[in-house]
């Protein structure tokens, strides 16, 4: 069985990360059984090292970064570890290769695959302004257990918010006006996202047309993260559902039918 590693929080379903939700949705859509092992931040590196899960990246000083999502896939009969890996794109590719009889998330057409990979690895995160990530990190910080808060603060400052030049999230100021301006830029981001999707609207609502792919789970994971971080009845979530003619509300309703994200807490 597959074990998925994540950090617990007090948002609905415990999972909050857009990267984690990519894998939750992939596993649920494919109907692959799995279990979640919750790790506080200080437990991530030693646990992943012990399981021979490689680091996600190395910093300029050579320090490895061990991060979630990560998985191990163990044969229930033999106890053999079939896979031990991290990084959402690589995990999703593994699931397609290791479980060929399930719904496939990556197209066989070379051009479509290149387009999907570029979108998932480069274009998607570049759409959203730094002020959005700053707002989300500040909202999420108190939602973690105490032992994970300080590592989360430093990680946000070092990775998502490195352009601010600070060591801790708390040292980066965010005024109400900056937060509002950031949210306006998020709307611009959704406009840009629609431009990337509407070229295939004649074939269907998904990234490649009528077939759901990993690119759609990347989008869905981001939307679920907004839903979880800001809350079901928040003005932010209500905004998103109505933007672009209600496209994202319809997108999430269709995704819920296929993946059951509202029931994906494991």
């Amino acid at each position: 069985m597959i074990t998925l590693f994540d950090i617990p929080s007090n948002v609905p379903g415990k999972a909050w990360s857009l990267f984690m939700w990519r894998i939750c949705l992939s596993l649920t859509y494919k109907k692959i059984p799995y279990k979640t092992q919750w790790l506080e931040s200080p437990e991530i590196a030693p646990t992943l090292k012990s399981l021979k899960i490689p680091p996600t990246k190395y910093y300029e000083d050579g320090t490895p970064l061990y991060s979630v999502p990560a998985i191990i896939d163990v044969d229930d009969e033999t106890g053999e570890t079939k896979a031990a890996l991290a990084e959402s794109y690589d995990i999703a590719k593994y699931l397609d290769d290791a479980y060929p009889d399930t719904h496939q998330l990556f197209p066989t057409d070379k051009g479509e695959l290149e387009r999907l990979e570029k979108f998932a690895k480069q274009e998607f995160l570049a759409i959203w302004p730094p002020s959005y990530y700053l707002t989300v990190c500040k909202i999420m910080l108190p939602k973690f257990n105490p032992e994970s808060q300080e590592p989360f603060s430093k990680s946000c400052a070092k990775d998502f918010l490195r352009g601010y030049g600070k060591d801790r999230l708390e040292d980066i100021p965010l005024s109400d006006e900056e937060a509002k301006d950031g949210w306006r830029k998020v709307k611009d981001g959704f406009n840009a996202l629609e431009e990337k999707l509407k070229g295939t609207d004649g074939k269907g609502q998904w990234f490649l047309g009528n077939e759901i792919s990993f690119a759609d789970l990347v989008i869905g994971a981001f939307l679920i993260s907004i839903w979880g971080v800001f809350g079901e009845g928040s003005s932010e979530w209500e905004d998103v559902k109505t933007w672009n003619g209600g496209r994202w509300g319809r997108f999430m309703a269709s995704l819920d039918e296929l993946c059951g994200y509202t029931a994906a807490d494991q």
Side-chain angles (χ1 to χ4, degrees):
M1 176 179 277
I2 290 176
T3 300
L4 173 65
F5 297 94
D6 192 8
I7 304 175
S9 72
N10 66 5
V11 302
K14 289 188 182 180
W16 76 280
S17 164
L18 63 162
F19 301 107
M20 178 58 61
W21 273 108
R22 294 177 184 184
I23 304 309
C24 291
L25 291 173
S26 297
L27 289 163
T28 305
Y29 179 57
K30 287 174 167 291
K31 295 181 172 61
I32 299 174
Y34 74 100
K35 60 183 178 180
T36 302
Q37 182 172 333
W38 301 101
L39 300 173
E40 298 296 344
S41 286
E43 299 175 305
I44 292 175
T47 300
L48 269 52
K49 284 181 185 178
S50 71
L51 295 169
K52 296 181 172 56
I53 298 174
T56 310
K57 69 175 184 179
Y58 289 88
Y59 292 108
E60 291 182 357
D61 63 2
T63 303
L65 172 66
Y66 290 90
S67 63
V68 292
I71 68 163
I72 55 170
D73 190 1
V74 178
D75 188 297
D76 292 335
E77 294 184 1
T78 67
E80 175 191 1
T81 298
K82 298 185 289 185
L85 67 161
E87 207 286 313
S88 59
Y89 189 90
D90 293 342
I91 294 172
K93 284 285 288 181
Y94 165 76
L95 296 177
D96 260 19
D97 294 340
Y99 297 88
D101 294 333
T102 64
H103 296 294
Q104 296 293 284
L105 297 173
F106 295 89
T108 56
D109 179 82
K110 182 179 179 181
E112 289 185 339
L113 180 60
E114 289 176 350
R115 177 177 168 235
L116 185 156
E117 182 174 8
K118 183 178 180 181
F119 175 78
K121 287 188 172 183
Q122 301 173 27
E123 296 175 343
F124 185 78
L125 290 180
I127 289 174
W128 315 106
S131 53
Y132 170 75
Y133 294 116
L134 177 56
T135 299
V136 168
C137 287
K138 284 186 175 289
I139 290 173
M140 281 303 304
L141 183 60
K143 296 181 183 291
F144 291 106
N145 293 326
E147 57 267 46
S148 289
Q149 290 181 9
E150 183 67 14
F152 178 77
S153 171
K154 292 180 178 179
S155 175
C156 283
K158 192 172 184 177
D159 292 312
F160 281 115
L161 308 171
R162 58 185 175 275
Y164 290 94
K166 301 294 184 180
D167 295 327
R168 298 170 70 251
L169 175 62
E170 295 90 329
D171 297 330
I172 305 173
L174 178 67
S175 68
D176 290 343
E177 185 53 41
E178 287 173 320
K180 291 178 182 177
D181 182 61
W183 191 246
R184 286 191 289 268
K185 291 177 180 175
V186 169
K187 184 176 183 180
D188 293 338
F190 274 104
N191 291 337
L193 183 58
E194 185 181 44
E195 287 297 314
K196 292 184 179 297
L197 294 182
K198 69 181 185 181
T200 56
D201 279 354
K203 299 179 181 179
Q205 66 174 315
W206 306 114
F207 183 81
L208 296 176
N210 63 354
E211 291 289 335
I212 195 169
S213 70
F214 183 66
D216 301 296
L217 303 190
V218 167
I219 297 168
F222 183 74
L223 290 165
I224 295 171
S225 178
I226 294 176
W227 167 71
V229 170
F230 291 97
E232 172 69 37
S234 67
S235 60
E236 290 85 358
W237 181 238
E238 293 303 315
D239 282 346
V240 170
K241 288 194 297 182
T242 60
W243 285 343
N244 303 111
R247 181 179 196 124
W248 312 114
R250 295 191 299 273
F251 185 99
M252 290 309 293
S254 297
L255 191 67
D256 199 15
E257 288 181 10
L258 291 171
C259 302
Y261 76 89
T262 53
D265 176 18
Q266 299 202 32

